[in-house]
Amino acid sequence: MKETAAMNTPETNLGPQPEIVLVRPQMGENIGAAARAMLNFGLERMRIIAPRDGWPNPSAVAMASGAGRVLDAAGVYDSLSDGIGDCDYVYATTARSRDLAKPVLSPERAMEEARAMRLQGKKVAVLFGPERTGLENDEIARANALISVPVNPQFASLNLAQCVLLTAYEYRRQSHETAHHVMEWASSEPASAIEVEKLAEHYEARLDEAGYFFPETKAEVMKITQRNMWSRLNLSRLDVQMFHGILRQLLRNKD
């Protein structure tokens, strides 16, 4: 197989990227799926070592579905030593314990380290083994550290693209602040405190007229509970208007 050097690809807004190295991948579809997983999280630097079915691979292109530029820029190499010879630090992904003395990191910690090294100008590679067997011990021996995912020990096998996706996700998290909780207001906006207050007063007044707050000894607690409910609902302005309208319509039909 002829060695093809990787094309120069512009760094995305992630800044410097690691090299995603697929070692002896067996199926073009999995290479294409890995390219999609990479681009999902902004990574574009792929290297392919001795693909079983040769290169280029039509099945990989078809499966990439929009991530073809990752494949177009990929470097293809005959041997692992050629593929990572220019790298300063290499991680190897594995689901099994190995009889090798190496640091073992979670994907999160490994990508935290990888980004720090890339920002210092060092070239970092992450190795992914073939789908059926994973990386061999002699390939893992070339790595500086291992990445291990805490998967179910009774079913530890990850699809190649799944493993790439996990790594790419963790690398992206190092450069992007993750919003752990977001409220989408669609075409509305949050109701102001005074709007919620007026809504509470509207319901409280009409419920009072209907004799809802009974017995009198519990009325104050019931009103506080109702006020707390309105403030806890995180209402939009449209919600407030809708609740006002519901109550007015109910009372109009009653009258």
Side-chain angles (χ1 to χ4, degrees):
M1 182 189 307
K2 183 180 178 181
E3 177 182 306
T4 305
M7 296 170 57
N8 290 326
T9 57
E11 302 289 5
T12 66
N13 57 3
L14 288 181
Q17 301 180 18
E19 308 294 323
I20 301 299
V21 183
L22 310 185
V23 181
R24 296 178 289 111
Q26 296 173 317
M27 296 179 62
E29 291 86 349
N30 286 337
I31 299 173
R36 291 183 64 181
M38 288 172 61
L39 198 56
N40 281 152
F41 297 99
L43 299 184
E44 300 185 35
R45 305 187 68 87
M46 175 185 281
R47 298 185 182 189
I48 306 171
I49 311 299
R52 184 190 67 181
D53 297 335
W55 196 260
N57 187 306
S59 297
V61 175
M63 189 64 183
S65 184
R69 70 173 185 258
V70 176
L71 301 180
D72 293 339
V76 182
Y77 302 84
D78 287 328
S79 67
L80 180 58
S81 58
D82 290 334
I84 61 173
D86 62 335
C87 295
D88 300 297
Y89 201 90
V90 178
Y91 293 95
T93 59
T94 178
R96 305 191 304 273
S97 60
R98 306 285 183 155
D99 295 327
L100 296 170
K102 288 186 184 294
V104 181
L105 293 82
S106 68
E108 180 179 13
R109 178 55 60 85
M111 292 304 96
E112 181 182 2
E113 287 185 358
R115 178 163 173 78
M117 285 187 280
R118 288 298 288 121
L119 291 174
Q120 294 170 5
K122 296 180 179 179
K123 186 163 285 188
V124 178
V126 185
L127 308 184
F128 299 86
E131 297 88 325
R132 184 170 297 177
T133 61
L135 293 166
E136 300 292 342
N137 279 352
D138 64 325
E139 293 164 338
I140 290 177
R142 298 174 184 270
N144 302 97
L146 305 182
I147 299 175
S148 183
V149 179
V151 293
N152 176 5
Q154 275 73 49
F155 190 68
S157 176
L158 283 176
N159 175 273
L160 175 60
Q162 291 173 328
C163 197
V164 171
L165 184 142
L166 278 170
T167 306
Y169 165 73
E170 291 296 348
Y171 193 83
R172 185 175 182 84
R173 285 211 309 134
Q174 304 307 318
S175 60
H176 283 69
E177 185 67 30
T178 302
H180 294 287
H181 181 94
V182 177
M183 180 66 189
E184 293 288 350
W185 294 101
S187 58
S188 187
E189 57 186 9
S192 65
I194 189 62
E195 288 171 328
V196 176
E197 178 71 15
K198 292 299 182 183
L199 177 64
E201 290 176 356
H202 186 188
Y203 270 78
E204 186 176 305
R206 302 316 296 260
L207 289 172
D208 204 7
E209 292 172 6
Y212 173 77
F213 298 110
F214 180 85
E216 188 175 343
T217 54
K218 295 184 178 180
E220 189 61 29
V221 172
M222 294 172 72
K223 291 178 181 179
I224 292 173
T225 300
Q226 183 191 182
R227 296 275 178 140
N228 183 59
M229 177 194 71
W230 292 120
S231 63
R232 192 177 68 246
L233 288 179
N234 200 20
L235 299 169
S236 69
R237 286 188 164 179
L238 286 177
D239 294 333
V240 169
Q241 294 168 9
M242 180 185 69
F243 277 117
H244 278 301
I246 289 172
L247 185 56
R248 291 191 187 100
Q249 189 64 34
L250 287 172
L251 293 174
R252 183 178 296 117
N253 289 341
K254 177 178 180 297
D255 295 341

